[in-house]
Amino acid sequence: MQTKHSRQPVEFGLSAYSPLGQFMVISILGMTLTLLALVYTHFELSDEYLQEHLNSHNRNLSVVLRNSLLATGLEDALRESQGRLSDEMLAQISATLDTELRWVPIVKIKVYGRNPPEVLYSTNTHEIGKNASDNEGVQSALAGVPLSGQVHPNHLNEFDNIIEVDNVHQQYIPIRSRDSDEVIGVFETYLNVHEVMRNIKARQRKDFWLIGLILLLFFGGLAYTFLRTHRLLQIESQQRRMHLDELKRVHAELEERVEARTAELDQAKNFLQSVIDGIGNPLLVIRPDFTIALMNRQAKNLLPADQDEANFKYCYQISHRLDAPCTAPDHPCSFAQVMQKGCQASVTHTHYDADNNPMTVELLTTPLYSADGEFVGVIEVEHDITQMVRMQAGLVESEARLQATMDNVPDAIFTCTEDYVIESANRSACHMFNCAAADLVGRKVSDLGAESVGLDAPSFENTTYQQAVMQRFDGEAFPVDLWIGPLEPDKQNSRYIVVVRDITSRIQSQRELDTSRQQYFHQDKMVAIGQLAAGILHEVGNPIAAIAGATAEVRQVYVPQDVDDDVRKNIDLIGEQIARLGNITREIADFASPRPRERELLDLNGLIRSTAQLLAYDRRFSSIGIDLRLDRNLPAIFGVADQLTQVFMNLLINSMDACAGSDRGGDCIIVSTEAGDAEVRVLIEDFGSGMSQETLGHVMEMFYTTKPVGKGSGLGLSLCDTIVRAHGGSLKIESEEGRGTRVYVILPIDRDGTNEGEGDTPAPG
């Protein structure tokens, strides 16, 4: 309720006896005295500075004039004078002074003798001959100490004992001998400073009035500020009195309301008790000292029937049948947790019912605060979860049994959402993908594929099956079989179980079987080729021998005679070509002849050289040269010559196919060998068409080829890799599209032949 009050008039008078008035008066007086002291100090410092300046200026001027007069022979005149100077000297002094004082405001100059101390020269001639024994300035200068002073207008000149009309500054300085530094006289000057003093006084008056004006403005502003502050304070004081009256009235109303509210609270307490009695779970209101402030009927039912309720004043007496709070580390008190953290706490305890039988309960404890935020206790609600705990224990045991079963299955098992997001994974899945379970949970099954994996959703009656290529977390790809089935028959929220089986061993076995088939096929083919070549070479050898014999007979019969040069050249050409045919037939016979399958020491350079020479007869590659850069110090290695010949032939044929159409000529293919510490390296480099990165990733796969149908089977590089690995080596391919390919064949030297017999597999075709 709000009540309007009429404003009372506020008086704004400022008494000199009030603290604010006293402060204003003291401030004005203090500031006035401070400014007056500053003005006085300023004027004093100005006078002192002026006197010092005049003394210094006049002294310097007097010294200059004295020295000028001494230069005219004044020293001799002073020594010889007997109370007066000659007219000639007086005239000379006047002439010198007229010259020196044309621009200087000197009003009078005097020269005093020493014995006696009287005026020997003066610009006022009537003062010549005047005795100066009583002149303090003359006596001080004769004693060697310069003396000066200022005489204001119409004031007595204490040195000359006369009243000056103008404002003058007089200076007495000794006249010393140039030879002995003896004082022989006194020189006095009178400097007119009337105009200077008049300007200074005018400036001081201006400064005084300016300071007075500033002081007046300051006093006015200070008085205005004080009066305004006093007015605001008076208004604020009046408002405080009005607010105090309002508070007193409100307090009286609140007292009336408190009495009415107390009656309502008593009624509400009874209502609250009836409400909490209607709650199905035991409920207690506990004070900070663990005493029970309130509890419902269900909590009272936990008390033994044969004991009085008054004996159970504390919460731990009801719940644990103890005489002290719970302190066991495995039995934390929820009340203590609430007091420490200041927020709601939930714990599981073992309590007792009215028959003292143990039961498992979940306690939900909530802090209770007063209206002003003070902690006054907790509200504790108890839920009997004995049956639920027993069921959970059975469920945990079942889950543990199921998990153990899944972990011992060699296949990876995933449980997934309807979007194939992994929810759980067994131990075999972690081993298969080389990661932790946390790395798999939350990922999609399709994200584990080495390439895009499309998952077919199963029906709730059937399980889908498909093959895919997955990728381990270390980057290794491997083939798998995928089975996908429903996890639970709930069409509103489909969940799946995915089983992944690693079929790498199966694929490898199949690949080895295919390789063996190709190898045995190659062996049979090579045997057939060898037999065919032997027959052909036998049939071709007889004509070649006959032609060679006929050529030799013609050369023996006709060449010694005088025959035409063209005929002789043709006979020699026939002989050369016959020899070439013989070499070709021998190389074909060596290549096609059966070779041992056991490992033996091989000359790798000779093997590469014979393979390159044989390919040179292929008319498809007549325009492509092979540059052999073989290491002469290459050591012998253990291997199967037939298999390694097949490797180098396949690699060279691939390089020649890539260089078809190239215009590089003789250096389109470079074959180099190099010896290492425990291995030999063969590099076959071509500058042909090269391969893309996508093609390079599949070249080692069986039956993968980029050649047209009928040009290649897709087994060449795969079988080359198999042969090299069987020899304990490795095959590495680097390629860049449009710039060529580099194939590295690395074979162990194996000086002791410890791997002998590992390469018994026949070379593929």
Side-chain angles (χ1 to χ4, degrees):
M1 181 183 296
Q2 296 181 353
T3 305
K4 295 184 178 179
H5 297 272
S6 60
R7 286 186 177 270
Q8 299 180 0
V10 181
E11 296 181 359
F12 303 108
L14 181 61
S15 173
Y17 299 101
S18 65
L20 187 61
Q22 292 176 1
F23 176 72
M24 185 179 73
V25 172
I26 292 172
S27 299
I28 292 175
L29 291 177
M31 185 58 68
T32 302
L33 292 176
T34 301
L35 290 176
L36 291 177
L38 290 175
V39 171
Y40 175 76
T41 303
H42 170 70
F43 288 164
E44 285 296 318
L45 290 176
S46 298
D47 290 342
E48 290 179 4
Y49 171 75
L50 177 62
Q51 290 299 325
E52 182 65 26
H53 176 72
L54 291 176
N55 290 341
S56 176
H57 177 270
N58 203 9
R59 185 181 301 113
N60 293 335
L61 179 61
S62 300
V63 170
V64 171
L65 293 177
R66 180 197 63 185
N67 293 338
S68 298
L69 293 178
L70 288 176
T72 61
L74 179 61
E75 180 178 352
D76 296 336
L78 290 176
R79 290 182 181 277
E80 295 174 359
S81 66
Q82 299 296 329
R84 66 185 305 275
L85 296 177
S86 63
D87 294 338
E88 182 180 356
M89 177 55 67
L90 293 174
Q92 191 171 0
I93 290 173
S94 298
T96 301
L97 293 176
D98 290 341
T99 302
E100 297 290 342
L101 300 177
R102 284 178 298 175
W103 310 106
V104 181
I106 295 293
V107 296
K108 184 167 57 175
I109 293 177
K110 293 182 183 179
V111 178
Y112 295 89
R114 182 177 181 84
N115 293 311
E118 61 182 21
V119 179
L120 297 181
Y121 174 81
S122 175
T123 51
N124 293 336
T125 56
H126 65 275
E127 294 181 352
I128 297 176
K130 184 177 179 180
N131 192 293
S133 299
D134 298 333
N135 192 320
E136 182 181 354
V138 174
Q139 296 301 326
S140 176
L142 289 175
V145 179
L147 190 63
S148 63
Q150 183 177 354
V151 182
H152 297 285
N154 300 320
H155 283 67
L156 177 65
N157 187 341
E158 295 179 355
F159 294 150
D160 291 339
N161 200 20
I162 61 174
I163 295 176
E164 297 290 347
V165 177
D166 294 328
N167 199 336
V168 296
H169 184 275
Q170 58 187 29
Q171 179 76 40
Y172 294 90
I173 63 173
I175 300 176
R176 299 180 182 273
S177 172
R178 295 184 177 182
D179 299 330
S180 61
D181 201 29
E182 176 187 3
V183 178
I184 58 176
V186 176
F187 188 76
E188 179 186 10
T189 59
Y190 289 80
L191 180 64
N192 188 347
V193 294
H194 179 74
E195 187 65 24
V196 174
M197 294 303 297
R198 187 172 66 84
N199 292 336
I200 291 175
K201 293 298 182 182
R203 180 59 182 270
Q204 288 180 344
R205 286 193 299 271
K206 182 178 178 181
D207 292 344
F208 176 80
W209 289 113
L210 180 59
I211 293 173
L213 179 60
I214 293 173
L215 186 62
L216 181 62
L217 292 175
F218 172 75
F219 289 160
L222 185 63
Y224 172 76
T225 303
F226 281 143
L227 291 174
R228 180 175 176 80
T229 302
H230 177 70
R231 176 175 175 271
L232 294 176
L233 290 176
Q234 289 285 353
I235 294 174
E236 185 178 354
S237 177
Q238 182 68 17
Q239 290 177 347
R240 283 200 301 269
R241 285 194 294 270
M242 294 170 60
H243 292 160
L244 183 59
D245 294 340
E246 181 71 15
L247 287 175
K248 290 179 179 179
R249 184 189 62 77
V250 172
H251 179 70
E253 292 180 357
L254 287 177
E255 289 291 342
E256 297 176 358
R257 293 184 181 181
V258 167
E259 294 178 0
R261 188 62 176 168
T262 302
E264 293 177 1
L265 287 177
D266 292 337
Q267 183 180 0
K269 183 177 180 180
N270 297 329
F271 175 74
L272 177 61
Q273 183 65 48
S274 63
V275 170
I276 65 173
D277 286 341
I279 297 176
N281 295 317
L283 182 146
L284 294 89
V285 178
I286 307 172
R287 299 187 183 96
D289 59 353
F290 297 100
T291 59
I292 299 174
L294 190 66
M295 62 179 173
N296 65 351
R297 184 181 300 110
Q298 284 70 23
K300 295 177 182 179
N301 292 336
L302 297 176
L303 302 178
D306 57 348
Q307 295 189 25
D308 187 5
E309 180 181 338
N311 296 331
F312 297 89
K313 296 175 55 178
Y314 298 94
C315 61
Y316 45 81
Q317 292 176 332
I318 298 177
S319 58
H320 298 89
R321 305 295 192 263
L322 297 176
D323 294 330
C326 303
T327 57
D330 58 344
H331 213 76
C333 179
S334 60
F335 191 102
Q337 291 186 1
V338 169
M339 294 182 65
Q340 291 176 0
K341 300 179 180 179
C343 60
Q344 190 179 70
S346 177
V347 297
T348 301
H349 275 193
T350 299
H351 285 187
Y352 295 89
D353 59 12
D355 298 327
N356 290 328
N357 296 319
M359 60 179 181
T360 304
V361 298
E362 183 180 30
L363 296 180
L364 182 63
T365 307
T366 305
L368 187 62
Y369 296 96
S370 64
D372 56 356
E374 182 182 359
F375 179 74
V376 295
V378 298
I379 301 174
E380 186 175 274
V381 181
E382 180 179 306
H383 301 273
D384 187 356
I385 58 172
T386 305
Q387 189 65 27
M388 184 176 68
V389 169
R390 293 173 182 171
M391 294 175 62
Q392 285 181 344
L395 180 61
V396 169
E397 183 179 356
S398 299
E399 289 181 350
R401 209 164 30 242
L402 176 61
Q403 187 65 42
T405 303
M406 292 179 60
D407 288 341
N408 286 281
V409 173
D411 296 332
I413 301 177
F414 300 127
T415 59
C416 307
T417 65
E418 59 182 348
D419 296 328
Y420 295 102
V421 176
I422 299 174
E423 294 179 326
S424 66
N426 66 343
R427 187 183 306 158
S428 298
C430 300
H431 293 163
M432 182 179 296
F433 288 92
N434 195 17
C435 65
D439 298 328
L440 294 171
V441 175
R443 289 176 174 265
K444 286 189 174 183
V445 176
S446 58
D447 294 339
L448 301 177
E451 53 191 23
S452 179
V453 178
L455 301 179
D456 300 328
S459 64
F460 287 98
E461 293 81 13
N462 300 318
T463 298
T464 62
Y465 164 78
Q466 63 187 95
Q467 287 189 345
V469 178
M470 310 298 277
Q471 186 173 16
R472 308 185 207 277
F473 273 64
D474 58 4
E476 180 186 359
F478 62 101
V480 298
D481 283 340
L482 287 178
W483 286 273
I484 305 173
L487 186 62
E488 53 190 11
D490 182 6
K491 297 185 178 181
Q492 299 298 325
N493 184 16
S494 300
R495 297 173 69 236
Y496 302 111
I497 182 168
V498 178
V499 180
V500 182
R501 175 172 295 174
D502 187 351
I503 59 173
T504 303
S505 300
R506 191 177 75 191
I507 296 296
Q508 184 67 27
S509 300
Q510 183 67 34
R511 181 178 298 175
E512 291 176 357
L513 178 61
D514 293 339
T515 301
S516 299
R517 290 174 180 173
Q518 292 295 329
Q519 289 172 344
Y520 285 115
F521 170 74
H522 170 72
Q523 184 177 3
D524 294 341
K525 183 178 68 174
M526 293 301 294
V527 170
I529 291 175
Q531 294 174 352
L532 179 62
I536 294 174
L537 293 176
H538 178 73
E539 295 299 327
V540 173
N542 292 331
I544 291 176
I547 295 173
T551 303
E553 184 178 355
V554 171
R555 182 183 290 109
Q556 183 178 5
V557 174
Y558 294 103
V559 169
Q561 300 179 7
D562 187 12
V563 297
D564 189 24
D565 290 338
D566 293 336
V567 175
R568 183 182 293 108
K569 290 179 180 179
N570 290 332
I571 294 173
D572 293 339
L573 179 61
I574 292 172
E576 292 174 358
Q577 296 303 318
I578 291 173
R580 184 165 177 262
L581 285 174
N583 291 334
I584 292 174
T585 56
R586 281 193 298 273
E587 289 175 356
I588 294 175
D590 291 341
F591 182 78
S593 63
R595 300 190 182 186
R597 311 309 300 169
E598 299 293 333
R599 287 196 178 189
E600 60 182 350
L601 279 175
L602 298 177
D603 178 10
L604 197 61
N605 285 342
L607 199 66
I608 295 173
R609 190 179 291 108
S610 63
T611 304
Q613 289 175 354
L614 183 64
L615 290 176
Y617 299 123
D618 194 328
R619 300 175 65 182
R620 296 173 299 169
F621 310 120
S622 59
S623 62
I624 300 174
I626 302 177
D627 184 5
L628 299 180
R629 302 177 183 180
L630 307 180
D631 186 358
R632 295 182 179 180
N633 298 320
L634 196 71
I637 66 169
F638 277 92
V640 180
D642 185 42
Q643 294 178 356
L644 294 180
T645 299
Q646 183 65 25
V647 169
F648 295 128
M649 178 169 289
N650 282 340
L651 296 178
L652 287 173
I653 289 175
N654 287 343
S655 296
M656 288 179 173
D657 288 337
C659 292
S662 174
D663 57 354
R664 289 184 63 95
D667 59 349
C668 187
I669 300 176
I670 299 175
V671 181
S672 60
T673 59
E674 181 183 8
D677 293 335
E679 60 188 19
V680 294
R681 292 181 291 275
V682 180
L683 170 61
I684 300 176
E685 181 179 10
D686 68 72
F687 300 92
S689 58
M691 292 178 285
S692 65
Q693 294 301 313
E694 181 181 359
T695 302
L696 190 60
H698 298 283
V699 291
M700 291 298 185
E701 298 178 4
M702 295 185 65
F703 307 110
Y704 179 84
T705 180
T706 58
K707 297 180 180 180
V709 177
K711 294 291 186 179
S713 62
L715 296 173
L717 287 177
S718 175
L719 296 177
C720 287
D721 182 57
T722 302
I723 292 172
V724 173
R725 282 191 287 107
H727 281 73
S730 60
L731 183 67
K732 179 182 177 183
I733 302 177
E734 297 177 355
S735 184
E736 187 174 351
E737 192 170 8
R739 304 190 66 175
T741 303
R742 291 170 298 282
V743 182
Y744 297 89
V745 180
I746 302 174
L747 297 169
I749 295 177
D750 195 10
R751 301 181 186 276
D752 298 332
T754 55
N755 293 331
E756 186 175 355
E758 293 183 4
D760 295 342
T761 305

